Amino acid sequence: MTEPTYPLPAAKQVALTITVLMKSKLLYCLLAITLLLGSGTDAFAQKSKIKEAQAGKISTHTSENGEYTYTMVAGDPLRSRIYTLKNGMQVYMTVNKNEPRIYTAIAVRTGSNNDPADATGLAHYLEHMLFKGTDRYGSLDYEKEKVLLDQIEELYEKYRATEDEDKRKELYAEIDRMSGEAAKYAIASEYDKMLSAIGAKGTNAFTSFEQTVYINDIPANQVEKWLKIESERFRNPVIRLFHTELEAVYEEKNISLDNDQRAAYYKMLDLLFPRHNYGQQTTIGTINHLKNPSIKKIKDYYRKYYVPNNMAICLSGDIDPDATIAMIDEYFGGFQTKSVTPYNGPEELPLDKVLEYEVIGPDAELLYLGFRVPSYGHPDAPVLEMIDFMLANSTAGLIDLNLVKAQKVLDAGSSYMQMKDYAVQMLNGSPKADQCLEEVRDLLLEQLEKIKKGDFDEKLIKAVVNNMEIDKMRGYEQNWGRTFEFVDTYVNGIDWEDRVLYLRKLRAISRDDVIRVANQYYGKNYVAIYKRNGERQDVKKVVKPEITPVEVNREAQSPFLKEVTSMESPEMQPVFLNYKSDIHQTQLESKVPLNYLRNDENGLFSMYYLLDFGKRQDKTLAFAIEYLPFLGTDQYSAEELSKKFYELGTTFDVFAGDDQIYVILRGLSTNFEESVKLFEHVLNNAQPDAEALSGLIDRQVKSLDDAKLNKRQILWRGMMNYGMYGGQNPFNDVMSEKDMRVLKAETLTDALHQLTSYEHKVLYYGPDSPEGVSKTLNTYHTVPAERIPVPTDDPYEFVKTERNKVFFVEYDMVQAEILWLSRSADYDPAMTPQVDIFNEYYGGNMSSIVFQTIRESKALAYSTFSSFQTPRRAGDPYFVLAYVGTQADKIHEAIAGMQELLTTMPQSDNLLENSKASIRNKMETERITRTSVLFNYENAKRMGLDRDIRQDVYASLDDMDFATVNAFHEKYISGSAYNLLVLGSKEKVDLKSLEQYGEVVELSLNDLFGY
């Protein structure tokens, strides 16, 4: 249950990266798969021209039983079916038989734009309430519960209307008391329990300006159960467990207040949209409105916008369309149509000057430049998107080449964010050491000026379109990529045929079009947000109200839940990997192992050179790998290489992890040989460049300094590693600035030239035959007969947690975040079944013991979990991990709540059966495919396994009972000593008070980072 946020990535994401955090611009282009799979013959070219000419033509079809009509669009690679029920609900479907699962999204065409001006955050809070049940589930006795809920609703109206603080406290105390009484009838998390039981994954929802979307990934044999649950969910949602869930939203607000990038983004929107709700209403709402909620207004909002003619069901996966549309009609066809008045935002006045604003916070400095530009439906929108990719595409855009590869800034990027009424072209940049944000601003604007003047290679336009095709193809490999394409189309009122024809529009863009549009929209009409480093001023937070923990009745089950779980579903059988038969294992002529897997889906390949050592064993080689993208060869400059790879539709990357090195090449199979040839040329002929090395060292040092300002880096890397290993750990074992400064360019290029002289293996997934792949590699991937042995190292020592200790790190923040870590037994594959069932039951999802207790009952956190962590390699120990993010003034309640669960695990036989059903249904429909097969095998070998360990888990499920799970908890969890890692502000967290949990040690950032 999230609110999407839009801090920009430093570079473009490939493969249709669609998350609830940011919609990828790659949604807005078409994939013509036939053009990428062809043989290149004249006959094929003629056939492609015919298909292109027919693309976009709409045809109407009828289901086999003659009851339902749907439209399809010629040239659509998804062969999508679009239905409209009699009540106006739209249904989008695409069939993908890759695995027996379906990615689902129910999209409501409403969001925070439609929030009442005096109740912002309402759409987002309603989204949370859609997880609480109806009059048929989520309650022990709804008639009795309703009496109390009605009284609570009226109390909130009095609370909103009261200004006297003493009277407000009295009213809230009464709300708390009445909520406790009402909660005695509530069954928490029944929705999550039902979805978990049918084997759903990724159950969540998100709200943004114009949409609220509810998502699941379900087994294909559970469609009817899912539809029954969802139709009931939307029929009559009951606003129950309101004040405890409101606490979760408070925490979500506090998380946003601790996020500097989000603060900068919101301020940019505020200045770009002084009239429109894009800038004047945040999705999560104001503090004052969150503190004064109205259940009445939430109900009014639901009745107004949650109607079938304002909703769409979007599905991609192993679907029988005719059977599925009949079931959808059965469960949703009875919903009544109502007239919906969409939000019509005021037209913004032209921005005729530069607006500048500073945001101060503890994170590293960055810059946002925002232009307000046209969005969907405008004839210039495709050109604006083209300009965005010409500026930054991670490889060969002007920002990529002139700023990032030239090392003129620490990092920079661009994004064209389309919303229904307007779009925002945003440029972002991070400064190098001793570089001011104004310099970054000028460098970014210079790249726009180059576009405006036509100072770019015209071939870049064609290359952008070709790479969009490839990215779209990768996105369509995943059901979620297809489903979110439907969601975006529906929410923004786009005709599907426009999607299908979008690539044609991009192909038609000329150099003159780009120059005209750039000059029309990009002038002195932008907003500049300077996010500077410093202490936050006037920090606000949502203050903790007094809340009494409520009943969750975890053992109870409503008749509706029993009805759902008793429904028959088609049987499915799991498919486990057989490494010997699923992977073609051979050798190149050089005796380098080649693990091959065929891609029958599309014309893309992925190839990896895998070395079983990393930066822990060789820091110099790891640094050389960072150096490689900035080097040219004896034939090409670094810029020319980027352009050549981009024109080939190929991406390459070299990555050094702690104990593995990956050399990665991905792209069009038709260009495989040329790509390998070029890539091997780069590895073997990279030329030393002292200036590039100096620039890289400066940027690396600045990145290390910036990491010490980043809350996530501090907690999840610095503190996590300290809690596992102590002061000497993989995270802080980095090359010092002194060591970097003495490196020689020639030393690094020599190391790169020797990279594939080490023992290594090749992993390949693509459409070429094993013989064809071997032939290409035998020709270009030349290695010496005597390979260099893989270097070894002294492994880091894991700490022994023999007594409780509290490690505190100071950070300027509203929240406090707490991690629990305890070293446990050494890895034993025989424990895997118990580990999996324990994690599912105890802390693995929203229906688990930990989530229900900490969030649902005690309202102590927005995010909380606990798990028994399996190590990455055999011989390493398991760790017990727990987490709570809470308000600083709730820290003691949060710690006590989690430690109680770590000591004693509540029993719920029904929840255990639910957990077993969840694992069973997931395994029966989970299919490990594509490159995941290759890496599953590699991971198994690292764990000392020769088989797919999932089959052990599946075979053990029937034998699992609470005694088994509880014995596991008592042996490995209860009574353990823990390192408590606390991140927070000393102004808000009293260090002396933490001594009750163990010896308190205050750590500095130097202790964590080692520099």
Side-chain angles (χ1 to χ4, degrees):
M1 290 173 280
T2 56
E3 176 206 14
T5 56
Y6 300 87
L8 278 179
K12 291 293 186 294
Q13 300 296 312
V14 297
L16 197 67
T17 303
I18 309 167
T19 70
V20 296
L21 296 178
M22 188 173 197
K23 293 184 299 182
S24 168
K25 73 177 71 180
L26 302 178
L27 282 169
Y28 315 123
C29 47
L30 166 75
L31 170 64
I33 289 179
T34 52
L35 298 178
L36 298 173
L37 293 178
S39 61
T41 64
D42 291 341
F44 176 80
Q46 182 63 32
K47 184 177 180 181
S48 296
K49 289 178 182 178
I50 294 171
K51 288 190 174 182
E52 180 76 6
Q54 294 173 340
K57 183 179 179 181
I58 303 172
S59 57
T60 302
H61 306 264
T62 304
S63 62
E64 287 186 1
N65 62 11
E67 293 186 18
Y68 303 98
T69 59
Y70 57 92
T71 60
M72 298 182 74
V73 177
D76 175 10
L78 300 184
R79 295 188 55 79
S80 311
R81 296 187 178 197
I82 302 171
Y83 302 81
T84 302
L85 301 183
K86 292 178 181 178
N87 59 11
M89 176 175 280
Q90 288 193 252
V91 179
Y92 295 75
M93 290 190 214
T94 176
V95 177
N96 179 14
K97 297 287 187 179
N98 190 263
E99 59 178 342
R101 296 192 68 88
I102 303 168
Y103 197 93
T104 76
I106 298 180
V108 189
R109 197 147 48 187
T110 186
S112 57
N113 275 352
N114 290 316
D115 283 346
D118 64 345
T120 58
L122 187 152
H124 174 240
Y125 196 61
L126 174 59
E127 170 218 309
H128 281 244
M129 289 292 97
L130 263 290
F131 286 79
K132 299 301 180 184
T134 70
D135 53 339
R136 296 187 63 204
Y137 74 87
S139 183
L140 294 169
D141 189 330
Y142 178 66
E143 292 306 315
K144 292 179 180 178
E145 182 191 26
K146 184 178 186 303
V147 174
L148 297 168
L149 295 179
D150 289 344
Q151 294 177 42
I152 293 168
E153 182 176 324
E154 292 303 323
L155 282 170
Y156 269 110
E157 294 307 308
K158 290 181 182 178
Y159 184 74
R160 278 171 54 84
T162 301
E163 296 183 0
D164 181 84
E165 283 301 318
D166 291 335
K167 183 62 175 175
R168 281 172 62 85
K169 287 181 181 179
E170 290 179 14
L171 284 168
Y172 205 88
E174 181 63 8
I175 288 172
D176 181 59
R177 187 189 70 79
M178 294 289 293
S179 296
E181 290 298 312
K184 292 177 181 178
Y185 297 102
I187 309 174
S189 304
E190 273 217 299
Y191 174 81
D192 301 294
K193 291 174 184 176
M194 288 187 287
L195 267 295
S196 176
I198 68 172
K201 298 187 293 187
T203 300
N204 214 322
F206 64 91
T207 304
S208 62
F209 295 118
E210 288 142 341
Q211 60 187 321
T212 307
V213 183
Y214 301 84
I215 56 178
N216 275 292
D217 181 335
I218 65 170
N221 64 333
Q222 303 289 338
V223 174
E224 185 168 11
K225 288 183 182 178
W226 172 76
L227 285 169
K228 185 178 180 70
I229 296 167
E230 294 296 330
S231 63
E232 175 60 23
R233 175 195 208 182
F234 287 97
R235 180 189 61 82
N236 182 30
V238 169
I239 312 299
R240 60 167 58 92
L241 299 174
F242 184 82
H243 81 319
T244 51
E245 189 65 24
L246 189 59
E247 276 289 280
V249 177
Y250 287 174
E251 282 307 305
E252 200 171 352
K253 180 65 175 181
N254 286 333
I255 291 170
S256 75
L257 295 172
D258 284 333
N259 189 314
D260 286 357
Q261 292 188 28
R262 190 185 295 198
Y265 173 76
Y266 284 161
K267 192 60 191 179
M268 181 192 68
L269 292 181
D270 176 40
L271 296 177
L272 282 174
F273 300 102
R275 305 174 68 188
H276 197 287
N277 281 351
Y278 290 151
Q280 299 312 302
Q281 294 190 178
T282 64
T283 297
I284 203 166
T286 68
I287 290 177
N288 186 55
H289 292 165
L290 289 176
K291 290 166 58 179
N292 295 279
S294 171
I295 296 175
K296 285 185 180 294
K297 287 182 180 290
I298 289 176
K299 288 181 174 180
D300 289 343
Y301 187 101
Y302 162 77
R303 286 189 288 263
K304 187 173 183 180
Y305 296 109
Y306 278 63
V307 294
N309 46 306
N310 202 40
M311 299 171 67
I313 296 177
C314 305
L315 307 173
S316 175
D318 189 0
I319 300 168
D320 179 339
D322 287 341
T324 302
I325 191 61
M327 284 190 285
I328 291 173
D329 193 19
E330 177 185 352
Y331 285 103
F332 281 93
F335 284 49
Q336 296 301 305
T337 301
K338 291 183 183 178
S339 175
V340 176
T341 302
Y343 170 74
N344 292 310
E347 184 176 351
E348 292 288 356
L349 299 175
L351 185 59
D352 55 5
K353 60 181 178 180
V354 176
L355 300 178
E356 299 180 300
Y357 192 86
E358 288 188 346
V359 172
I360 310 297
D363 210 338
E365 292 194 337
L366 58 86
L367 170 77
Y368 287 161
L369 299 179
F371 294 83
R372 187 202 316 139
V373 294
S375 189
Y376 299 104
H378 193 283
D380 289 336
V383 187
L384 289 164
E385 185 170 11
M386 173 64 72
I387 291 171
D388 177 49
F389 269 88
M390 292 173 66
L391 286 168
N393 51 56
S394 299
T395 304
L398 300 187
I399 291 174
D400 304 318
L401 297 176
N402 300 334
L403 301 189
V404 179
K405 190 173 281 289
Q407 303 193 91
K408 292 185 178 180
V409 296
L410 180 65
D411 213 340
S414 170
S415 185
Y416 174 56
M417 302 186 307
Q418 290 180 294
M419 298 169 285
K420 194 168 184 289
D421 296 339
Y422 291 97
V424 175
Q425 174 65 57
M426 181 161 32
L427 308 180
N428 66 291
S430 300
K432 299 189 298 182
D434 302 321
Q435 184 180 46
C436 68
L437 290 174
E438 287 77 6
E439 292 178 72
V440 178
R441 175 200 64 200
D442 293 343
L443 287 168
L444 287 168
L445 292 173
E446 281 179 15
Q447 309 317 304
L448 266 178
E449 287 301 313
K450 290 180 181 292
I451 299 284
K452 291 164 70 175
K453 294 175 182 178
D455 186 11
F456 57 85
D457 189 338
E458 191 167 5
K459 290 190 293 186
L460 179 57
I461 297 176
K462 180 179 179 181
V464 163
V465 180
N466 290 339
N467 279 273
M468 282 182 168
E469 289 182 306
I470 295 167
D471 290 338
K472 180 66 72 174
M473 183 182 289
R474 291 205 184 279
Y476 281 166
E477 288 179 343
Q478 307 295 331
N479 281 324
W480 60 264
R482 298 170 173 221
T483 298
F484 273 102
E485 185 97 340
F486 292 150
V487 169
D488 190 73
T489 298
Y490 173 74
V491 167
N492 292 289
I494 303 167
D495 292 330
W496 187 248
E497 57 267 30
D498 288 340
R499 290 286 198 198
V500 175
L501 293 173
Y502 194 75
L503 187 60
R504 181 183 290 182
K505 292 181 181 180
L506 292 174
R507 290 193 189 283
I509 293 172
S510 68
R511 181 189 190 87
D512 290 342
D513 292 330
V514 170
I515 295 170
R516 174 188 62 80
V517 170
N519 279 279
Q520 181 173 345
Y521 295 106
Y522 302 126
K524 299 292 184 181
N525 59 336
Y526 61 86
V527 168
I529 304 296
Y530 304 94
K531 210 306 293 179
R532 304 194 190 277
N533 177 255
E535 185 177 347
R536 291 193 183 103
Q537 303 298 316
D538 301 322
V539 178
K540 298 178 181 179
K541 70 171 184 176
V542 185
V543 180
K544 177 191 81 168
E546 293 297 325
I547 287 185
T548 305
V550 300
E551 299 286 342
V552 292
N553 295 312
R554 64 170 57 94
E555 191 63 11
Q557 293 184 335
S558 67
F560 181 82
L561 180 146
K562 294 176 182 177
E563 184 181 328
V564 170
T565 55
S566 66
M567 292 172 63
E568 294 292 329
S569 297
E571 289 188 5
M572 301 288 289
Q573 292 299 318
V575 176
F576 300 114
L577 295 178
N578 183 322
Y579 299 132
K580 291 183 179 179
S581 61
D582 291 343
I583 300 172
H584 181 81
Q585 301 182 42
T586 184
Q587 286 187 339
L588 304 179
E589 291 176 355
S590 59
K591 306 302 182 185
V592 171
L594 168 63
N595 289 347
Y596 168 95
L597 189 66
R598 185 172 183 82
N599 173 11
D600 292 319
E601 287 185 69
N602 54 39
L604 300 178
F605 77 89
S606 298
M607 186 177 70
Y608 308 82
Y609 302 163
L610 181 60
L611 292 76
D612 284 322
F613 70 97
K615 59 186 177 183
R616 285 170 56 169
Q617 294 82 13
D618 193 332
K619 292 183 179 61
T620 300
L621 179 57
F623 193 91
I625 285 170
E626 298 286 338
Y627 185 40
L628 179 61
F630 303 98
L631 300 180
T633 69
D634 54 355
Q635 295 183 31
Y636 307 106
S637 69
E639 179 176 335
E640 288 171 335
L641 285 170
S642 292
K643 290 180 178 179
K644 288 185 74 66
F645 276 113
Y646 196 64
E647 289 167 8
L648 287 170
T650 300
T651 59
F652 89 85
D653 194 12
V654 185
F655 171 74
D658 284 343
D659 48 23
Q660 282 189 312
I661 292 173
Y662 298 88
V663 180
I664 308 165
L665 200 65
R666 306 170 78 212
L668 284 173
S669 181
T670 51
N671 293 334
F672 175 67
E673 182 174 359
E674 192 173 353
S675 298
V676 171
K677 179 181 178 181
L678 181 62
F679 185 61
E680 291 287 343
H681 169 75
V682 173
L683 286 180
N684 293 318
N685 296 279
Q687 298 296 297
D689 185 329
E691 184 178 352
L693 176 58
S694 177
L696 176 61
I697 292 171
D698 289 343
R699 292 172 68 241
Q700 290 285 82
V701 171
K702 180 61 162 56
S703 294
L704 291 173
D705 289 341
D706 284 356
K708 295 170 76 172
L709 304 175
N710 185 284
K711 184 161 67 87
R712 291 189 63 82
Q713 287 278 326
I714 293 169
L715 178 67
W716 292 105
R717 300 202 64 198
M719 297 179 73
M720 174 81 86
N721 274 270
Y722 198 98
M724 293 176 69
Y725 298 94
Q728 300 296 318
N729 60 65
F731 174 69
N732 61 29
D733 187 7
V734 297
M735 186 176 287
S736 68
E737 180 179 357
K738 180 181 177 181
D739 291 337
M740 283 189 265
R741 295 293 181 193
V742 299
L743 289 172
K744 302 296 183 184
E746 292 78 10
T747 303
L748 297 176
T749 51
D750 287 345
L752 289 170
H753 298 158
Q754 287 189 328
L755 181 62
T756 54
S757 296
Y758 288 94
E759 293 287 352
H760 65 282
K761 67 196 71 171
V762 179
L763 313 181
Y764 173 89
Y765 171 71
D768 287 356
S769 67
E771 295 76 19
V773 174
S774 296
K775 181 180 178 182
T776 297
L777 292 175
N778 287 332
T779 302
Y780 301 108
H781 186 60
T782 55
V783 297
E786 295 292 327
R787 248 88 74 195
I788 304 173
V790 170
T792 59
D793 69 323
D794 294 325
Y796 300 99
E797 290 293 328
F798 291 94
V799 297
K800 294 181 179 180
T801 42
E802 296 173 338
R803 58 191 175 90
N804 284 355
K805 281 190 176 182
V806 180
F807 296 95
F808 180 85
V809 176
E810 161 80 6
Y811 193 84
D812 180 12
M813 58 192 291
V814 172
Q815 270 203 318
E817 297 189 74
I818 311 109
L819 284 173
W820 285 257
L821 278 171
S822 180
R823 176 177 172 171
S824 192
D826 288 342
Y827 174 71
D828 179 358
M831 289 173 58
T832 303
Q834 293 96 318
V835 170
D836 282 10
I837 190 65
F838 171 79
N839 284 339
E840 184 75 19
Y841 173 81
Y842 184 67
N845 54 55
M846 288 190 287
S847 64
S848 66
I849 292 291
V850 168
F851 191 89
Q852 284 193 16
T853 303
I854 301 296
R855 176 164 160 171
E856 297 281 1
S857 173
K858 299 184 177 183
L860 292 174
Y862 172 72
S863 179
T864 182
F865 63 87
S866 181
S867 65
F868 196 70
Q869 295 278 301
T870 299
R872 290 186 63 249
R873 58 185 178 184
D876 286 353
Y878 296 96
F879 265 83
V880 182
L881 170 66
Y883 167 81
V884 175
T886 188
Q887 289 180 213
D889 52 3
K890 289 185 184 177
I891 188 169
H892 296 295
E893 297 162 80
I895 292 175
M898 182 61 78
Q899 294 202 159
E900 181 181 355
L901 292 174
L902 291 171
T903 302
T904 305
M905 185 173 65
Q907 178 173 350
S908 173
D909 293 331
N910 286 332
L911 180 57
L912 180 61
E913 289 305 310
N914 195 83
S915 300
K916 291 164 63 175
S918 176
I919 293 175
R920 182 178 290 107
N921 282 317
K922 288 175 186 174
M923 285 194 168
E924 287 174 350
T925 55
E926 180 182 48
R927 300 293 182 264
I928 296 175
T929 60
R930 308 183 187 94
T931 56
S932 296
V933 175
L934 299 170
F935 285 104
N936 184 282
Y937 175 51
E938 293 300 321
N939 291 335
K941 288 193 295 182
R942 285 168 62 87
M943 304 307 291
L945 302 170
D946 60 1
R947 67 190 186 284
D948 185 346
I949 193 66
R950 295 178 303 153
Q951 57 193 310
D952 295 6
V953 178
Y954 188 79
S956 301
L957 284 175
D958 289 338
D959 297 329
M960 296 290 178
D961 56 18
F962 183 75
T964 306
V965 178
N966 194 52
F968 184 93
H969 182 272
E970 289 183 352
K971 182 175 182 179
Y972 297 110
I973 316 295
S974 182
S976 299
Y978 290 90
N979 285 334
L980 272 73
L981 306 157
V982 181
L983 181 66
S985 167
K986 281 196 283 189
E987 291 184 4
K988 301 177 180 67
V989 177
D990 178 16
L991 266 62
K992 187 73 176 174
S993 70
L994 294 177
E995 292 179 357
Q996 61 187 293
Y997 309 114
E999 177 191 353
V1000 176
V1001 179
E1002 186 173 359
L1003 298 175
S1004 69
L1005 294 179
N1006 286 349
D1007 292 329
L1008 297 181
F1009 287 81
Y1011 55 89

